[in-house]
Amino acid sequence: MSAGKPSGEVANPIRRNLRRTSEVLHEYLSTLRAVAGHEVSFPELSVGKGNYSVAQHQLLAGGRSMTQGRLIVGNESLIVPELNLPFASLLHPGAVAAGKHCLGWAYRMGLARNDIAVRHLLAARLERLGARIHPHAGQTTVDLVTDWLAWIVVFDDHCDEGELRYDLQLARTVFDELMSALTEDCASVQTRTTLGKSFADLWQRTAADMSLEWRRRFRGGTRIVLDSINTEMTRQASGRVPTENELAAERASGSINRTAIEVWLACAGIEIPARLFGTEAEPGPAENLMRIAENIIWWCNDILSLEKDITSHDQSNVVIATRHGRGCSYQEAVNVVDLNIKNGIEELLLEEKRFADLAGPDLAKTVQDSCVMIHNHLGGNVEWLLETARYREVAPVEFGKAANYLESCLLVGDSKKGAGPTSRYAAGVDGHELP
């Protein structure tokens, strides 16, 4: 690491040491065997009369609190706060199958083909998050959610540490291709990049059963997200640290986490009527719920990804922005974000009641399913943050150079180059044992 750059080391007794690839694979396989024999109980959920709040069920079930740990940043020793989210997290018994499916899909799409890229995807353990977002759904739904998670992670890495961050023209080309993939009739399109090809595949699998109104709203929302990401990347290229308000505005104007929440609902065939989203001037309860949940996810991730973001020179972290803007210590900034999380939970539960009231009894099932999924995502995200190596496998990234675990964005899926399995891991995921 270059002189003067802060370095970090996480110390937490419940976090496993996943510093080496061999250890990542060994633990991953041990987990697969354990999960394969684990039975998950499915609680009864019923909608009561009057104002309904699914939070009552999951608050009684009990949420998971992350054990405190320490983070050393430069000369400062930080206490990582407990992430107290009052939502239970259950694991779908098909997590193993979803992991295997995802590796095969990512290989075929060209997102993860070489050994380094495959190992990086394995270490993320995205199937553990996908299996928590929809713990009671069918296997096809869990597979689809996990594939979406893989795409989001690879796309995010390309924007933060890959080709797109350092080549804004290529980024615009990819963004245009993503928009072209969102056809109203879910028809297939020609693509020139791996990100476009995989995104088109996900769109066809997700949107086919959704209404035309939903597809049009999602397309408009995606355009806003990509414009926001383009603004963020332009700022990142300048090396300027954003203010708290600026970062909040960037995320509020268009966030991939907000879009993902609507995707998770669609993967299970859940569609919230447009009237509950309101307008840009007056957002409805559905929009508010997703925005609040999105912020909670961002804040949790920003605390636990602080070391990684500092090392990779990523300034789009609210802890970094808070410290820079207020001239305070990292610890004080972390405490501010932790308070945001606690306030966000209270706000979420209040907005949930408004959502049920405005939806009315005819949409009680939609309200229940939507709130359960959001709770699953919030509680499952904390559990996943404890399991994934995504924010613990921290390696210095040379500014201006793409991370070595990212495949090229150029589409090679149908060419002779890379036409067959180049990794023993990818070769075995479809119907064969992992190594």
Side-chain angles (χ1 to χ4, degrees):
M1 184 175 296
S2 60
K5 292 293 182 183
S7 61
E9 178 65 27
V10 172
N12 190 314
I14 68 168
R15 293 185 180 183
R16 302 173 181 88
N17 180 8
L18 300 177
R19 294 296 180 188
R20 305 172 108 181
T21 299
S22 61
E23 292 172 340
V24 171
L25 293 174
H26 176 76
E27 188 203 11
Y28 178 82
L29 293 173
S30 298
T31 302
L32 293 188
R33 286 191 289 270
V35 173
H38 178 60
E39 293 185 2
V40 178
S41 60
F42 300 147
E44 291 292 330
L45 293 176
S46 59
V47 180
K49 296 180 180 180
N51 297 330
Y52 171 74
S53 174
V54 74
Q56 295 171 355
H57 169 81
Q58 289 190 320
L59 283 170
L60 292 173
R64 173 65 176 270
S65 171
M66 192 192 88
T67 299
Q68 285 184 325
R70 284 190 175 272
L71 175 67
I72 310 301
V73 179
N75 297 322
E76 191 174 346
S77 175
L78 312 183
I79 296 176
V80 178
E82 293 184 353
L83 299 181
N84 291 303
L85 272 64
F87 308 123
S89 176
L90 301 175
L91 187 71
H92 193 287
V96 175
K100 289 186 176 183
H101 177 277
C102 180
L103 285 176
W105 177 81
Y107 177 85
R108 290 190 298 274
M109 295 294 117
L111 297 177
R113 292 196 163 192
N114 65 60
D115 284 355
I116 296 176
V118 171
R119 288 167 180 163
H120 185 75
L121 187 59
L122 274 173
R125 305 180 77 176
L126 298 171
E127 76 288 346
R128 304 281 293 180
L129 178 53
R132 287 188 165 100
I133 290 174
H134 283 300
H136 313 318
Q139 187 64 46
T140 301
T141 296
V142 180
D143 291 348
L144 180 56
V145 169
T146 305
D147 290 350
W148 267 108
L149 285 167
W151 186 89
I152 290 171
V153 162
V154 173
F155 175 71
D156 184 60
D157 285 345
H158 268 295
C159 292
D160 290 343
E161 305 165 31
E163 293 174 287
L164 304 189
R165 176 175 181 177
Y166 303 114
D167 187 342
L168 295 182
Q169 182 57 50
L170 176 61
R172 284 187 282 272
T173 298
V174 170
F175 292 177
D176 288 343
E177 187 165 280
L178 298 182
M179 288 304 302
S180 70
L182 298 177
T183 54
E184 289 191 354
D185 59 357
C186 299
S188 59
V189 295
Q190 291 294 322
T191 54
R192 297 187 296 130
T193 68
T194 56
L195 289 170
K197 176 183 178 180
S198 49
F199 188 70
D201 175 81
L202 292 170
W203 172 250
Q204 291 162 30
R205 292 161 59 193
T206 304
D209 295 329
M210 306 303 286
S211 70
L212 181 60
E213 180 183 57
W214 183 93
R215 295 175 198 169
R216 287 173 175 171
R217 187 177 72 247
F218 185 86
R219 193 177 196 280
T222 301
R223 178 75 273 174
I224 293 173
V225 168
L226 295 178
D227 287 343
S228 178
I229 292 173
N230 185 63
T231 299
E232 178 185 345
M233 291 170 64
T234 302
R235 174 182 52 72
Q236 287 263 48
S238 71
R240 182 173 58 83
V241 179
T243 65
E244 288 177 73
N245 291 337
E246 185 179 9
L247 185 57
E250 285 180 5
R251 291 176 173 179
S253 65
S255 164
I256 200 165
N257 277 339
R258 155 65 181 82
T259 302
I261 293 173
E262 196 154 6
V263 167
W264 308 152
L265 292 171
C267 287
I270 302 170
E271 183 169 342
I272 300 173
R275 68 177 177 85
L276 294 175
F277 284 93
T279 64
E280 185 175 351
E282 289 189 46
E287 183 66 30
N288 289 335
L289 269 180
M290 293 184 185
R291 292 294 184 188
I292 297 167
E294 163 203 23
N295 283 332
I296 294 170
I297 292 168
W298 273 123
W299 294 327
C300 290
N301 290 8
D302 282 352
I303 289 176
L304 294 184
S305 69
L306 179 59
E307 178 190 10
K308 180 176 184 288
D309 291 341
I310 290 173
T311 304
S312 62
H313 319 294
D314 184 355
Q315 309 291 357
S316 296
N317 181 304
V318 71
V319 177
I320 296 174
T322 300
R323 174 181 177 270
H324 180 78
R326 301 191 183 193
C328 62
S329 67
Y330 275 117
Q331 184 66 71
E332 291 170 322
V334 166
N335 293 343
V336 169
V337 178
D338 181 45
L339 181 60
N340 289 344
I341 294 171
K342 292 179 172 63
N343 292 337
I345 293 295
E346 294 182 7
E347 189 181 359
L348 181 83
L349 299 179
L350 289 174
E351 193 64 33
E352 204 171 72
K353 179 180 181 297
R354 179 169 171 255
F355 181 37
D357 288 344
L358 292 182
D362 291 344
L363 291 174
K365 182 68 164 58
T366 299
V367 169
Q368 173 182 327
D369 291 345
S370 301
C371 292
V372 166
M373 193 287 299
I374 290 174
H375 288 188
N376 288 342
H377 191 188
L378 292 173
N381 185 61
V382 172
E383 293 280 359
W384 173 73
L385 288 171
L386 298 176
E387 298 171 338
T388 182
R390 177 165 172 76
Y391 302 122
R392 297 198 299 273
E393 289 284 288
V394 180
V397 177
E398 183 180 344
F399 188 80
K401 182 177 293 186
N404 64 355
Y405 56 78
L406 290 171
E407 300 273 9
S408 171
C409 287
L410 299 178
L411 184 59
V412 296
D414 298 323
S415 66
K416 293 182 179 179
K417 180 181 178 182
T422 59
S423 163
R424 63 191 180 95
Y425 310 109
V429 295
D430 289 327
H432 301 286
E433 291 298 318
L434 288 166

